[in-house]
Amino acid sequence: MISYNETIYGAFENCKVISDISKISRLKFGFNGRAPVLHRCFSFYAERRCSRMTAIVCVDEAWGMAFHGRRQSRDRAVCARILEDAAGRRLWMSRDTLRLFEAPYPEYLTAAEDFLAQAGPGELCFVEEPPLLPWLARLEGLVLYRWNRRYPADAWLDVRPGPPGWTLARREEFSGHSHERITKEVYTR
């Protein structure tokens, strides 16, 4: 027999859309008394847990992201473009990543260790260390900043955009501060 908590947890984890919650409460619990409580619970959880977000990632030519637990490279021009793209939308990142940006930080920058779990609908996440694959179901977009060279790496991006499922919406090249050429690719699902 499946317990109440297992049923709720399983439905939340799989981010399934349930159109008639009262049917589920009758089937699983034998009465309609819980339906309003469950509906509120699903609505709150679905908004946070199943919401779609956009990840921003910097990679080299070989999809490398980090070496010995440290970012491969950084560029002031990329940080400036990330802030421009956020344009007031919440931008999540780790506390280590926050140091890339100059203080005082805009109010929409938010640092947390579990930032991928906390990101809400339409929010951005600047990801410097894999894995990103466990969050694939929540990704609606992926912005890649490519350092057009190879660096030593021991951690690589585990989500490869491309068919099927991903569409390249935009590609642009620009000069960075420490890189002559940086390519920005925006993918959507």
Side-chain angles (χ1 to χ4, degrees):
M1 171 136 196
I2 298 174
S3 74
Y4 172 80
N5 286 337
E6 289 172 13
T7 303
I8 299 299
Y9 182 79
F12 291 155
E13 278 302 302
N14 295 323
C15 298
K16 294 185 178 174
V17 176
I18 298 167
S19 60
D20 190 355
I21 199 75
S22 62
K23 285 182 185 174
I24 289 178
S25 66
R26 277 197 304 273
L27 291 172
K28 300 291 183 191
F29 313 111
F31 62 92
N32 284 335
R34 285 191 196 254
V37 174
L38 283 173
H39 187 272
R40 282 194 301 272
C41 204
F42 270 93
S43 296
F44 172 76
Y45 194 85
E47 181 181 323
R48 272 291 166 202
R49 184 70 181 190
C50 301
S51 60
R52 310 283 272 179
M53 62 183 167
T54 299
I56 301 169
V57 182
C58 297
V59 295
D60 70 5
E61 287 180 341
W63 300 94
M65 293 176 68
F67 185 60
H68 288 297
R70 300 181 66 173
R71 68 183 66 87
Q72 285 184 332
S73 184
R74 67 183 202 187
D75 191 283
R76 282 186 257 164
V78 169
C79 291
R81 284 183 179 248
I82 290 171
L83 290 177
E84 286 174 21
D85 288 347
R89 290 191 300 173
R90 174 98 33 223
L91 175 58
W92 291 88
M93 62 191 70
S94 72
R95 287 185 177 91
D96 289 336
T97 302
L98 185 63
R99 292 186 295 197
L100 287 174
F101 300 91
E102 293 181 17
Y105 306 116
E107 62 183 32
Y108 55 86
L109 285 186
T110 306
E113 291 311 309
D114 60 343
F115 66 95
L116 288 166
Q118 291 190 38
E123 294 179 340
L124 303 170
C125 293
F126 186 17
V127 181
E128 287 197 295
E129 292 184 28
L132 193 55
L133 192 58
W135 304 98
L136 182 61
R138 292 194 53 213
L139 291 179
E140 68 180 349
L142 183 62
V143 178
L144 293 181
Y145 286 94
R146 292 180 167 275
W147 317 121
N148 294 302
R149 62 176 73 154
R150 282 183 188 236
Y151 289 106
D154 58 9
W156 295 268
L157 181 62
D158 55 353
V159 173
R160 303 292 164 88
W166 293 96
T167 303
L168 178 62
R170 192 170 79 240
R171 175 183 284 147
E172 65 183 84
E173 290 186 357
F174 61 94
S175 292
H177 182 74
S178 59
H179 296 79
E180 288 181 25
R181 183 174 59 119
I182 298 172
T183 304
K184 177 184 176 182
E185 297 174 348
V186 179
Y187 292 89
T188 58
R189 290 176 85 176

